[in-house]
Amino acid sequence: MRTPSEPYPYPFTAQQLPCLVDGELVRTGRTFANVSPVNGAVLSTVTEADASLVDRAVEAARRALRGPWARLSTPERCALLRRVAERIEQRFDEFVSAEIADTGKTLAQASSLDIPRGAANFRAYADLALARGSECFEMGTADGRGALNYSVHKPVGVVAVIAPWNLPFLLMTWKVAPALACGNTVVAKPSEETPSSATLLAQVIEEVGVPPGVFNLVHGFGPRSTGEALVGHPQVAAIAFTGESATGSAIMRSAADSVKALSFELGGKNAALVFADADFEAALAGTARSVFSNCGQVCLCSERVYVERPIFERFVGALTARARALRLGGPYEEADIGPLISRAHRDKVLGYYALAREERGEILCGGGIPAFGDERDRGAFIEPTIVRGLAEDARCVKEEIFGPVCHVAPFDTEEEAVALANDTRYGLAAAVWTQNLQRAHRVARQMEVGIVWVNDWFLRDLRTPFGGVKLSGIGREGGAHSLAFFSEPMNICVKL
Ligand code: NAD
Ligand code: 6OD
């Protein structure tokens, strides 16, 4: 029965989550616990795929490449993807509850962003794959009869999809949908922290009639576990990975032997630039959102906020007031943000709060953990925090923290703002707040990142290129870019 505090029951209470291999649900004696970051309770146990189960999954995916899936036309494949989207919507409450149980994120966020985007990803790539044309070049030949070149798009093969825990369903489907739309088969590994929504996805993909072996799901950890076995598997043709930059490096090394195609969406240390001519309230609300959304656990979050000096004190005062006003709580409470993903991650973020003090930063708000006096004290909650006064080469300004925290600093000129924003090893996203259109274009073009928002943040059109430069990634996903990564173009030259 639903209680007021948990209106959507967790779909896997006290169950062992299976892997899905070749259309079969597989449970073995090798398991790990799925722990709630809200109160530390064990939500479920999860089957950890060892190397032999990963091998079975990859082999099944390989066989499926030559089975009925390969004989489907693009419209037939896309129709199946649309049915996946519909099924996600029909089972919406289950997906929402699975996602918030694993992550502790707010009901409002999961129901307005994470789960709807999962369905939208399937629809978007069904549409894009259907609309895709191919190249055709007529050429002259010595005999005057000419030749016609045209390209066809073939699947790459077995694709490994490896997802992180921060937006688990959004990011898993962001890669699975285009991979399937292009006719590949998939072995997917969600984060060990967030196995539930991917398990529901596996059910839904089976329910709509995608043939066995086309989508396989393996649960487990990264190093010395499922992830490592998957990325090193010689029959995996391509890896689409989202996660930390250091993990990306490790995966690159594993993938090198069999020269796999790689698409990496990695970490960020994103800057927000707030000019004095910005719409103050819009910039304030947008920056607060870009720092604290999802408890700061979005790769696109602003961890460095640079504000033009004439409005610096006023802006920082207002941002600090907003941070102080944020309500922390569980998914079903009147809360603005939930906990971090785990106690281990909280220790890491708290380490940076301590480091900020050591590095002589001034903590304007937060800097610790809240005390609720109830079961939430066993969770992974942490205070939203704003720091000022750090040197630009401080570790807290240079390293990705991935929590509800930013450093604020003033700037005096446009050139200085651009230089500060670009002075990082990362290059994922930037937010520019100004009402001067010429400045907006000028500054945006100079950002060394893959994505710039002007006067907004995390506003997404799924057809646009998404990805980062420097340590933030390799390649672009989104729209035609995803279709290109998940396809092998082949040229056919016909002599006329
Ligand atoms: P992570 O790198 O620790 O883990 C991501 C996934 O990789 C998990 O499924 C994990 O089990 C797996 N993994 C870990 N080591 C592996 C290995 N050696 N071989 C194969 N798989 C391995 O990342 P996380 O902590 O889950 O996520 C947070 C990070 O992800 C942050 O750095 C964040 O910036 C980044 N991120 C980037 C984007 C983007 O689009 N650029 C989006 C979301 C998150
Ligand atoms: O919106 C997307 O498509 C996307 N890949 C978002 C990534 C967010 C990072 O945490």
Side-chain angles (χ1 to χ4, degrees):
M1 198 172 88
R2 294 181 181 195
T3 66
S5 62
E6 193 178 339
Y8 301 96
Y10 175 61
F12 301 109
T13 302
Q15 289 182 33
Q16 178 175 338
L17 272 62
C19 297
L20 177 76
V21 174
D22 208 7
E24 268 180 50
L25 299 178
V26 181
R27 292 180 177 84
T28 67
R30 193 175 170 131
T31 63
F32 60 95
N34 178 22
V35 174
S36 161
V38 175
N39 56 18
V42 174
L43 295 161
S44 51
T45 54
V46 188
T47 308
E48 180 186 356
D50 63 8
S52 71
L53 192 53
V54 169
D55 187 51
R56 272 173 59 193
V58 174
E59 284 307 321
R62 238 163 73 82
R63 279 195 304 278
L65 279 172
R66 299 185 296 272
W69 180 243
R71 293 187 284 279
L72 291 183
S73 64
T74 303
E76 286 168 331
R77 258 197 332 269
C78 293
L80 279 175
L81 296 191
R82 286 214 182 79
R83 285 177 56 201
V84 172
E86 282 160 19
R87 244 355 240 150
I88 293 168
E89 285 160 353
Q90 285 160 0
R91 299 183 62 181
F92 190 79
D93 290 1
E94 287 174 82
F95 275 98
V96 167
S97 71
E99 197 77 330
I100 62 188
D102 285 0
T103 59
K105 64 179 68 193
T106 62
L107 176 60
Q109 187 196 307
S111 354
S112 63
L113 172 68
D114 301 65
I115 306 308
R117 252 304 293 280
N121 287 339
F122 278 98
R123 282 214 177 83
Y125 285 109
D127 290 348
L128 286 159
L130 258 188
R132 170 157 70 166
S134 69
E135 295 168 297
C136 179
F137 297 99
E138 280 185 63
M139 66 181 285
T141 55
D143 64 6
R145 284 158 56 187
L148 191 61
N149 294 277
Y150 67 97
S151 58
V152 292
H153 299 110
K154 304 212 294 194
V156 177
V158 177
V159 173
V161 172
I162 302 193
W165 45 255
N166 62 320
L167 302 172
F169 191 58
L170 186 160
L171 292 169
M172 172 65 79
T173 52
W174 176 240
K175 295 175 189 310
V176 169
L180 294 180
C182 296
N184 299 284
T185 60
V186 170
V187 181
K189 194 197 89 59
S191 166
E192 56 276 22
E193 305 282 2
T194 51
S196 302
S197 57
T199 305
L200 287 177
L201 177 67
Q203 290 179 6
V204 161
I205 289 178
E206 289 286 292
E207 281 165 9
V208 305
V210 171
V214 171
F215 178 80
N216 305 272
L217 180 72
V218 289
H219 292 293
F221 301 86
R224 297 170 299 286
S225 176
T226 320
E228 204 172 284
L230 182 56
V231 297
H233 197 292
Q235 301 299 346
V236 167
I239 302 173
F241 167 73
T242 302
E244 281 190 27
S245 304
T247 310
S249 306
I251 291 177
M252 249 179 136
R253 282 191 287 274
S254 304
D257 280 347
S258 44
V259 198
K260 301 182 196 320
L262 301 174
S263 178
F264 281 177
E265 294 184 341
L266 308 177
K269 188 73 185 178
N270 311 303
L273 301 182
V274 184
F275 287 89
D277 62 12
D279 173 333
F280 189 90
E281 290 305 323
L284 178 64
T287 304
R289 201 162 66 84
S290 78
V291 175
F292 299 116
S293 284
N294 206 44
C295 201
Q297 301 167 115
V298 181
C299 58
L300 309 159
C301 275
S302 313
E303 290 194 3
R304 299 179 297 137
V305 177
Y306 298 105
V307 186
E308 201 168 0
R309 200 174 298 273
I311 61 163
F312 179 73
E313 295 299 337
R314 181 173 159 231
F315 191 87
V316 169
L319 189 64
T320 306
R322 282 193 176 240
R324 286 206 180 99
L326 287 172
R327 296 162 303 173
L328 273 61
Y332 299 108
E333 294 164 39
E334 290 288 317
D336 300 303
I337 54 175
L340 292 174
I341 189 65
S342 64
R343 280 285 179 106
H345 187 52
R346 185 171 77 171
D347 288 345
K348 176 184 157 186
V349 178
L350 281 173
Y352 278 104
Y353 288 4
L355 183 63
R357 292 185 175 93
E358 280 169 36
E359 291 182 317
R360 298 183 188 287
E362 181 190 352
I363 308 279
L364 297 178
C365 61
I369 53 178
F372 294 98
D374 58 33
E375 62 167 16
R376 291 171 296 180
D377 291 337
R378 293 193 291 279
F381 289 91
I382 194 163
E383 289 172 347
T385 296
I386 299 180
V387 186
R388 70 184 282 178
L390 290 168
E392 277 301 309
D393 61 357
R395 280 182 54 203
C396 288
V397 178
K398 290 290 172 232
E399 298 174 13
E400 183 187 49
I401 301 175
F402 219 56
V405 54
C406 69
H407 180 244
V408 288
F411 67 84
D412 290 301
T413 65
E414 190 178 301
E415 294 68 30
E416 186 192 0
V418 168
L420 287 165
N422 288 338
D423 186 13
T424 166
R425 298 171 72 206
Y426 291 99
L428 186 56
V432 180
W433 297 90
T434 175
Q435 295 193 79
N436 177 334
L437 200 55
Q438 288 188 350
R439 166 179 282 150
H441 284 297
R442 200 166 51 231
V443 171
R445 286 189 72 94
Q446 292 178 77
M447 292 293 98
E448 294 170 2
V449 297
I451 309 143
V452 182
W453 280 286
V454 175
N455 297 330
D456 212 321
W457 178 75
F458 204 177
L459 180 61
R460 295 282 291 114
D461 179 325
L462 306 189
R463 297 167 298 184
T464 58
F466 185 98
V469 303
K470 304 194 237 178
L471 278 189
S472 292
I474 299 180
R476 292 292 179 276
E477 296 186 12
H481 304 273
S482 292
L483 298 185
F485 177 74
F486 290 111
S487 305
E488 286 291 0
M490 184 177 77
N491 187 62
I492 299 177
C493 178
V494 183
K495 174 75 172 59
L496 301 173

